[in-house]
Amino acid sequence: MLSPEDVQKVATLARLKLSEEELEQIGHQLGEILDYVAVLDEVDVSEVEPMAHVADVFNAFRADETRVSLPREESLSNAPKTDGKYFLVPQILENA
Amino acid sequence: MDITGSTTGQLLDAMQNGTVSAVEVTQAYLNEISAHGETVGAFLSVDSEGSLTQAAEVDRKRSSGESLGKLAGLPVAVKDNICTKGLATTCASRMLENFVPPYDAHVTTQLQNADAIIIGKANLDEFAMGSSTENSALQVTRNPWNIDHAPGGSSGGSAAAVGARLASMGIGSDTGGSIRQPASFCGVVGMKPTYGRVSRYGLVAFASSLDQIGPFATDVTGTARLLESIAGYDVRDSTSVDRPVPGYSATVEQPLENLRVGVVSEFFGEGIDSDVDASIRAAIDVYRSLGAEVSEVSLPHTRYAVATYYLIACSEASSNLARYDGVHYGRRAEQFENMIDMYAASRAEGFGAEVKRRIMLGVFALSEGYSDQYYLKGLKVRRLIRNDFDAAFENVDVLAGPTCPTPAFKIGELVDDPLQMYLSDICTISANLAGIPGVSVPAGFSSNGLPIGLQLLAGPFEEEKLLRAARMFERETVWHTKRPSFS
Amino acid sequence: MEFTPIIGLEVHVQLLTKSKLFCGCPNLFNPDNPNVQTCPVCIGLPGSLPVMNQEALRLSQKTAMALNLNLANFTKWDRKQYYYPDLPKAYQISQFDLPFSYDGWVEVTLPSSGETTKVRLIRAHLEEDAGKNMHDESGRGGDSKVDLNRTGTPLLEIVSEPDIRSAEEARVFLEELRLLLRYIEVSDCNMQEGSMRCDANVNLHVHEDGEKIPTPIVEVKNLNSFRGVEAAIEHEIKRQIKAWETDRKRIGDVPKETRGWDADRGQTFGQRGKEDAADYRYFPDPDLVPVTTTDEQFDAIRATLCVFPADRRNSYVSDLGLSDYDASVIVDQGREYADYFDEVTSVCGDGKQAANWLTQDVQRELNDRKIEIAEFSILASVLGTVLQKIVKGEITIKSGRAVFTELLAQSDDGSDVTANSVDTIIADKGLGKVQDTGKIDIAIQAVIGNERNAKAVEDVRGGKQQAVGPLIGQVMRELKGADAGSVRQMIIDKLTS
Ligand SMILES: [Mg+2]
Ligand SMILES: [Zn+2]
């Protein structure tokens, strides 16, 4: 079971601002899901290689050639805030 | 001519013969959308003007004798998590409500090259996370067979659009059953190709190692035709596989000789609806009657598939969705204290409950001290699930079972019980974990008139065999010809 | 108090590819024109996917060979997750548990002691660079600006073992690294432009009562000049000695601290600690497939490598007889300089002669003209031709200098100077050594017989050897290019035998 502190820690890592109510609800639901996931404890995987990719594809390369980039206005076109040249964000606190 | 009641093949013939024009076809679907679109809620946006322009271009090409693509003049509903340049691509999320991609997905380009008409963008569960389309933050989609019921999901909009005959074909994405399950719920054919068969370039990622784009149509032949137009290697997707695309529609009518069908015992377990059970057993009898060799097959790790799936899918999702932070695109909160708070507030506002839940699960499953127990364990069990399939396909050509243990559930029935909702994907999820192709074909109706889907699975890159096997069944049955009453 | 500084470096180096690591945007330093080298992939737009630049891998593997690193036949990509506005996907594609190379070393020689040591390397891995954030400097808390031109540039991270024992050694290590990477042409290692950046991990081993006590490790971030690296470490060592003397904190007593470097004030400063310890949640990137390289492919890359600086220094000393000092001066100027030297040497056949000219005459011209060897108008083959004539005794060193000066003058006037120009100059100015002793004999007879020289001739005959000078001068004036030594001997022989 996850403690409220654990849930808050996960929410911080996930960059999700959750209300007390949401924290409690999600904490509860995560707990249930983790209980369910514990079914995997039955499986002996000591001799099993993890499978991150399902297709046996290797070495998908691109030649070192340049392609036309997007015009700046298109790159910025979906940004919430710009000055026409840069993406703008609230002041960055160094190392915050 | 009953345009919207026609199959893709009938429409292509009619346009070829000059019986109807592409503009007439598109207009007929637009009329249906005007009449029933609001009831069904399949589309998040309809591009009437653009689709009529495209249709007129098809007619012009035809009359001037220019070569036409394989889907010339066929209206297609594209799931709104596939990028369309200049057309909003929202993923049914508040986060991307105003996002207009400056580029086309590979599949979008393929559809355009085939001269298909992109008639609109279809609703989905937010970021494709869900099994009912109820997680759309923007709109409710209803099952065309009974509007109190869900269309399934996450590609519920595309399935409902084709089921309600608001589009001739649909494009969806399938991460854990998101094409096959809504196809089954809406009484249409839906297919998840082999992982790597269709480029994911421009598909907004949910779980990258599981996501696969695939076709919907009212029949198997239409499905084959759409698949052969979108499949193929794309250098922009490193995980797409470089091997030729067979002409599926050319061979789909050829029955398979000495077909061996394996019936997956685990798919008939606890919780299966009795109507579903009866319909699927009857469907298997159809194969018997066609001379197929039917045997029971066990996939012993099926019991672990849902848990494995949620660990892997949520882990990848937590990473894929980290980019929505209100800096370069997407929603930014109006109120915040500082930059960190801006991230957290924007994400809290932009994402719905299910997306937040999955991100939380994924972050936890990957976090220090837990990743071996959860994420890595998931990857290992995933291999065992794949091994089950490899062993099974040594003895049978296709595996058969229900697409979903139940017909479409009611809207609102499972929203407060995420775990129960997850369990409705029990029969579809394994194919995504193993990367193999699967198709759902209409196979009957429940006592209350809701469609039931038969799921067939085959080994990697056996789409041709799968479609031919599906067509063998379809030819013997009438389920695919049934239409919801209002359509 | 007795202590040993323990220093490890993490160096980030941008690779010289044409395009970025995972997309086709140009890989160019372009700070004045923000957000023009961007596309769906490097902005991390929804739906975009990375595809790996093969050249970036090749350059990385080449680097690993130069750094004596072991190369992996199998490597893969992982996501490193953290939030920062210059990181659009909120994860960096990097390498975690299976980097493409591991376990290597770089040999460094300390100028102060002449001592040579090996700094071991833990690994080198490939990753994508982030963009750049610019903070509002007004202090009014205005918005920060984000430029993604740099986002996705291929970056090599090279991590050393904590084998470095002084600030000087850290600087020399970095200089040697830069020299090496420039030699093999994988990076320009320009610290001002950020194509080479360095973080230093510093702590002390305090020796007390036969015990060795490690103090807490401090990471000094974002050092962007060689002098900065040396000064920051020096300052940090002093600061840590004081800290030990006041708080006696050992490693593990406090969390690892991150400090910045204020070059103006010559101090490191504490950066506000993160509230939550970083948890990067590494996992294999599902959008990228693993990479395999065969030993044959490694051999093919190895075959393209040049001779490394350290080997070159050694061979200059042992094969050409250069001093350690001259060998280092030539090699440390960079590969083009050493290549120039090699060509001069191969044409003239005398490394020492070539080294003298390069470190003196040529270097003086380069300094005066503020140019690099690549821009020098006298090609190596031409200088080699001049030196060859000296080595063969066809002209004197003095004449060689005159030819050199004339070659420069001609090229300054806009003519191309070639090996043929050398012959023309020698002929035109009569700088060729006169080999014909008959001719010299006649000239000497004429000078000796001249009335004006009667006194000098007498003095020489009388044993006053210094009187021979003016006589030599006259003969030489008559016969440009005669060897002064032989003329002197011939005059003395004639007058004293
Ligand atoms: Mg790094
Ligand atoms: Zn780019």
Side-chain angles (χ1 to χ4, degrees):
Chain A
M1 211 57 216
L2 295 176
S3 71
E5 293 74 38
D6 290 338
V7 181
Q8 181 54 61
K9 198 183 146 201
V10 175
T12 306
L13 277 176
R15 294 285 189 272
L16 286 171
K17 192 176 191 171
L18 301 181
S19 66
E20 286 297 317
E21 203 181 311
E22 278 180 303
L23 277 174
E24 206 198 291
Q25 198 195 11
I26 292 186
H28 175 75
Q29 288 166 336
L30 283 189
E32 275 189 355
I33 295 167
L34 293 178
D35 286 347
Y36 174 74
V37 162
V39 67
L40 298 186
D41 294 347
E42 295 170 12
V43 192
D44 177 10
V45 292
S46 50
E47 303 290 313
V48 184
E49 278 294 305
M51 186 179 211
H53 293 87
V54 73
D56 278 333
V57 178
F58 298 91
N59 306 327
F61 293 127
R62 181 176 67 74
D64 184 23
E65 286 158 6
T66 56
R67 295 180 64 106
V68 180
S69 299
L70 286 175
R72 183 195 283 143
E73 60 187 68
E74 279 187 40
S75 293
L76 300 178
S77 63
N78 282 290
K81 194 171 181 188
T82 79
D83 61 0
K85 283 179 107 173
Y86 293 93
F87 298 92
L88 295 184
V89 291
Q91 186 189 33
I92 299 167
L93 304 170
E94 240 349 287
N95 218 38
Chain B
M1 166 182 196
D2 174 11
I3 290 174
T4 60
S6 303
T7 64
T8 56
Q10 289 163 340
L11 287 177
L12 287 174
D13 287 345
M15 286 187 277
Q16 182 66 39
N17 300 338
T19 317
V20 288
S21 67
V23 168
E24 284 166 336
V25 168
T26 300
Q27 191 58 60
Y29 280 102
L30 287 172
N31 294 344
E32 284 295 290
I33 293 172
S34 300
H36 307 294
E38 219 159 293
T39 316
V40 180
F43 288 99
L44 289 171
S45 59
V46 177
D47 186 17
S48 318
E49 206 179 309
S51 53
L52 286 170
T53 309
Q54 288 176 58
E57 174 64 9
V58 169
D59 288 333
R60 186 199 63 75
K61 278 193 193 172
R62 196 187 305 278
S63 63
S64 65
E66 287 173 44
S67 71
L68 282 166
K70 286 188 165 184
L71 306 174
L74 295 178
V76 55
V78 175
K79 190 176 183 178
D80 207 24
N81 61 349
I82 290 169
C83 286
T84 42
K85 186 176 178 175
L87 283 182
T89 300
T90 66
C91 295
S93 179
R94 299 245 170 266
M95 182 60 84
L96 291 179
E97 213 170 345
N98 300 310
F99 178 69
V100 179
Y103 77 106
D104 275 324
H106 182 73
V107 162
T108 305
T109 306
Q110 295 284 84
L111 290 172
Q112 285 161 351
N113 291 344
D115 290 313
I117 312 296
I118 298 176
I119 197 163
K121 302 296 293 288
N123 199 14
L124 63 152
D125 285 298
E126 184 177 4
F127 285 101
M129 295 180 184
S131 310
S132 67
T133 312
E134 288 168 285
N135 295 329
S136 169
L138 305 180
Q139 188 171 290
V140 176
T141 300
R142 298 177 179 279
N143 191 310
W145 293 88
N146 182 335
I147 58 170
D148 294 332
H149 287 250
S154 65
S155 311
S158 307
V162 177
R165 308 308 197 251
L166 306 178
S168 174
M169 312 174 293
I171 294 286
S173 65
D174 189 316
T175 306
S178 283
I179 290 174
R180 290 159 289 157
Q181 186 254 24
S184 152
F185 280 16
C186 294
V188 299
V189 181
M191 184 172 188
K192 178 200 108 68
T194 306
Y195 185 82
R197 181 71 291 186
V198 179
S199 168
R200 294 184 296 114
Y201 188 78
L203 166 67
V204 180
F206 157 19
S208 314
S209 80
L210 303 162
D211 295 341
Q212 191 61 198
I213 293 174
F216 289 99
T218 58
D219 65 355
V220 173
T221 308
T223 305
R225 190 173 282 124
L226 182 49
L227 179 64
E228 72 196 9
S229 299
I230 60 171
Y233 177 62
D234 174 20
V235 287
R236 295 172 301 178
D237 175 1
S238 306
T239 63
S240 83
V241 177
D242 189 4
R243 52 190 287 166
V245 180
Y248 303 119
S249 62
T251 56
V252 70
E253 291 296 336
Q254 300 167 16
L256 293 155
E257 279 171 40
N258 308 319
L259 176 66
R260 297 166 302 166
V261 177
V263 179
V264 183
S265 5
E266 285 81 3
F267 290 173
F268 294 83
E270 204 188 322
I272 188 165
D273 176 272
S274 57
D275 291 343
V276 172
D277 188 86
S279 294
I280 301 307
R281 293 201 188 278
I284 288 157
D285 284 339
V286 171
Y287 282 106
R288 278 203 187 88
S289 72
L290 290 169
E293 181 192 311
V294 175
S295 58
E296 286 269 311
V297 167
S298 172
L299 301 171
H301 293 90
T302 300
R303 162 177 168 68
Y304 309 110
V306 173
T308 302
Y309 172 80
Y310 277 91
L311 290 175
I312 295 172
C314 294
S315 295
E316 292 183 10
S318 73
S319 173
N320 285 330
L321 273 68
R323 68 187 65 194
Y324 306 106
D325 56 13
V327 176
H328 309 96
Y329 43 81
R331 187 185 196 88
R332 178 183 291 191
E334 299 206 340
Q335 299 291 317
F336 47 81
E337 287 159 30
N338 54 40
M339 196 187 67
I340 298 266
D341 190 51
M342 182 202 86
Y343 281 161
S346 302
R347 290 166 62 77
E349 281 182 21
F351 292 140
E354 181 61 25
V355 173
K356 287 179 190 169
R357 197 150 46 224
R358 295 199 194 191
I359 290 174
M360 291 284 287
L361 177 59
V363 167
F364 178 73
L366 283 174
S367 64
E368 207 178 320
Y370 294 99
S371 63
D372 282 2
Q373 185 186 347
Y374 292 111
Y375 172 72
L376 193 65
K377 179 89 186 240
L379 294 188
K380 290 178 177 176
V381 180
R382 179 180 194 174
R383 186 173 296 279
L384 296 175
I385 289 168
R386 168 65 182 249
N387 291 349
D388 282 356
F389 281 109
D390 289 346
F393 289 123
E394 290 198 0
N395 302 310
V396 299
D397 297 301
V398 294
L399 291 168
T403 306
C404 185
T406 65
F409 39 79
K410 277 196 167 142
I411 290 174
E413 196 178 326
L414 295 179
V415 278
D416 293 328
D417 193 350
L419 194 52
Q420 206 50 48
M421 183 83 91
Y422 296 175
L423 288 171
S424 82
D425 295 332
I426 184 112
C427 303
T428 47
I429 267 175
S430 304
N432 299 82
L433 290 168
I436 60 170
V439 64
S440 179
V441 286
F445 288 87
S446 66
S447 50
N448 56 350
L450 290 165
I452 290 168
L454 164 72
Q455 178 178 228
L456 298 174
L457 303 168
F461 297 97
E462 301 271 32
E463 281 84 359
E464 188 191 349
K465 193 195 270 182
L466 195 56
L467 288 160
R468 286 168 68 186
R471 177 63 188 141
M472 284 168 72
F473 171 77
E474 187 185 67
R475 205 204 305 264
E476 303 300 316
T477 57
V478 294
W479 313 115
H480 66 288
T481 64
K482 306 283 183 203
R483 290 163 60 183
S485 54
F486 67 80
S487 76
Chain C
M1 162 189 173
E2 260 193 68
F3 67 90
T4 314
I6 307 294
I7 301 154
L9 298 184
E10 266 182 45
V11 186
H12 285 94
V13 174
Q14 288 179 345
L15 295 175
L16 283 172
T17 53
K18 291 202 266 301
S19 63
K20 292 185 179 182
L21 185 50
F22 295 115
C23 66
C25 289
N27 171 16
L28 287 175
F29 180 67
N30 186 9
D32 298 329
N33 208 2
N35 294 307
V36 295
Q37 289 158 206
T38 57
C39 73
V41 176
C42 58
I43 304 171
L45 286 184
S48 63
L49 294 171
V51 184
M52 198 202 161
N53 182 341
Q54 184 163 26
E55 177 68 1
L57 179 69
R58 201 187 64 84
L59 294 181
S60 302
Q61 290 172 330
K62 204 169 151 182
T63 307
M65 290 170 188
L67 302 180
N68 307 293
L69 286 150
N70 290 315
L71 284 147
N73 294 107
F74 178 96
T75 188
K76 69 179 176 80
W77 297 100
D78 301 283
R79 294 183 181 178
K80 176 184 182 177
Q81 320 203 52
Y82 64 93
Y83 282 92
Y84 212 58
D86 61 10
L87 190 70
K89 300 187 298 298
Y91 60 81
Q92 178 190 33
I93 303 175
S94 181
Q95 302 197 287
F96 180 50
D97 54 335
L98 295 172
F100 77 89
S101 72
Y102 56 95
D103 290 348
W105 46 267
V106 174
E107 201 171 76
V108 295
T109 302
L110 298 182
S112 57
S113 62
E115 203 187 322
T116 294
T117 56
K118 270 182 187 173
V119 174
R120 290 169 302 155
L121 303 176
I122 298 172
R123 61 189 274 163
H125 70 251
L126 189 51
E127 61 188 24
E128 54 177 349
D129 206 347
K132 255 184 118 68
N133 298 314
M134 269 139 292
H135 310 300
D136 176 44
E137 306 285 346
S138 72
R140 288 191 294 273
D143 283 341
S144 296
K145 298 170 170 183
V146 185
D147 173 12
L148 300 184
N149 277 349
R150 194 178 74 176
T151 308
T153 298
L155 202 58
L156 207 55
E157 178 173 326
I158 300 161
V159 186
S160 88
E161 293 276 4
D163 281 354
I164 298 169
R165 295 289 171 265
S166 68
E168 181 199 24
E169 189 178 354
R171 176 181 51 78
V172 174
F173 168 79
L174 271 187
E175 284 171 351
E176 186 67 18
L177 196 60
R178 175 178 66 171
L179 183 68
L180 199 49
L181 299 195
R182 285 183 171 177
Y183 257 76
I184 61 173
E185 297 169 324
V186 299
S187 175
D188 58 19
C189 295
N190 184 330
M191 288 191 88
Q192 273 93 53
E193 293 186 357
S195 61
M196 184 181 208
R197 312 193 283 272
C198 177
D199 303 334
N201 283 292
V202 183
N203 77 331
L204 307 175
H205 283 173
V206 178
H207 307 283
E208 223 173 61
D209 308 326
E211 207 195 337
K212 185 181 78 185
I213 310 159
T215 64
I217 297 176
V218 169
E219 182 171 12
V220 188
K221 284 270 194 198
N222 295 326
L223 300 167
N224 55 11
S225 73
F226 290 95
R227 203 174 319 146
V229 171
E230 189 165 18
I233 294 173
E234 236 153 44
H235 173 268
E236 192 50 31
I237 292 169
K238 282 193 201 123
R239 199 191 61 79
Q240 290 187 18
I241 295 168
K242 251 190 222 141
W244 167 256
E245 283 167 344
T246 50
D247 62 23
R248 299 188 63 85
K249 289 225 167 78
R250 300 173 178 224
I251 197 165
D253 289 351
V254 285
K256 183 173 158 179
E257 190 192 357
T258 301
R259 297 179 72 84
W261 168 242
D262 184 335
D264 296 334
R265 301 168 66 187
Q267 291 177 352
T268 63
F269 59 90
Q271 294 183 327
R272 197 157 66 85
K274 295 179 182 178
E275 291 126 54
D276 307 273
D279 181 349
Y280 294 124
R281 286 165 284 134
Y282 281 102
F283 77 104
D285 192 326
D287 289 333
L288 288 159
V289 298
V291 175
T292 60
T293 314
T294 62
D295 291 341
E296 290 70 33
Q297 288 170 318
F298 286 140
D299 290 343
I301 296 173
R302 204 168 274 118
T304 69
L305 288 168
C306 64
V307 182
F308 301 142
D311 299 327
R312 221 150 166 170
R313 284 190 205 102
N314 290 340
S315 94
Y316 288 172
V317 172
S318 56
D319 302 343
L320 302 180
L322 265 53
S323 67
D324 286 339
Y325 179 81
D326 278 351
S328 290
V329 165
I330 290 165
V331 170
D332 293 356
Q333 301 281 338
R335 179 166 164 192
E336 285 187 322
Y337 199 92
D339 283 349
Y340 186 99
F341 167 77
D342 284 354
E343 194 178 344
V344 174
T345 301
S346 91
V347 174
C348 79
D350 183 343
K352 278 180 154 173
Q353 187 74 249
N356 286 340
W357 278 76
L358 224 66
T359 55
Q360 293 165 36
D361 305 66
V362 173
Q363 192 56 51
R364 187 187 58 238
E365 288 302 324
L366 297 182
N367 293 346
D368 288 352
R369 294 161 185 257
K370 297 193 171 60
I371 55 170
E372 300 287 321
I373 193 76
E375 303 157 88
F376 191 49
S377 61
I378 303 180
L379 297 179
S381 55
V382 179
L383 180 62
T385 306
V386 178
L387 303 197
Q388 183 194 43
K389 293 191 186 291
I390 295 172
V391 172
K392 284 194 180 159
E394 291 172 15
I395 58 171
T396 63
I397 289 184
K398 200 173 156 211
S399 299
R401 292 233 157 77
V403 175
F404 183 75
T405 308
E406 179 58 22
L407 286 168
L408 280 171
Q410 289 188 8
S411 70
D412 287 347
D413 287 343
S415 350
D416 281 341
V417 293
T418 63
N420 289 337
S421 323
V422 176
D423 291 329
T424 315
I425 291 167
I426 292 170
D428 287 357
K429 304 216 171 233
L431 294 170
K433 227 186 228 179
V434 180
Q435 304 288 337
D436 182 346
T437 46
K439 242 185 186 173
I440 300 174
D441 220 41
I442 292 165
I444 291 174
Q445 287 298 353
V447 171
I448 294 174
N450 190 320
E451 273 302 305
R452 290 193 294 132
N453 295 326
K455 169 94 171 68
V457 167
E458 271 321 295
D459 285 350
V460 177
R461 284 210 171 108
K464 262 190 174 175
Q465 295 237 337
Q466 64 269 39
V468 80
L471 301 179
I472 300 170
Q474 288 174 52
V475 176
M476 297 289 283
R477 229 169 285 135
E478 199 64 32
L479 291 171
K480 281 177 192 146
D483 177 44
S486 353
V487 172
R488 174 193 170 92
Q489 201 53 55
M490 285 175 75
I491 294 173
I492 290 171
D493 288 351
K494 221 166 255 316
L495 296 180
T496 56
S497 56

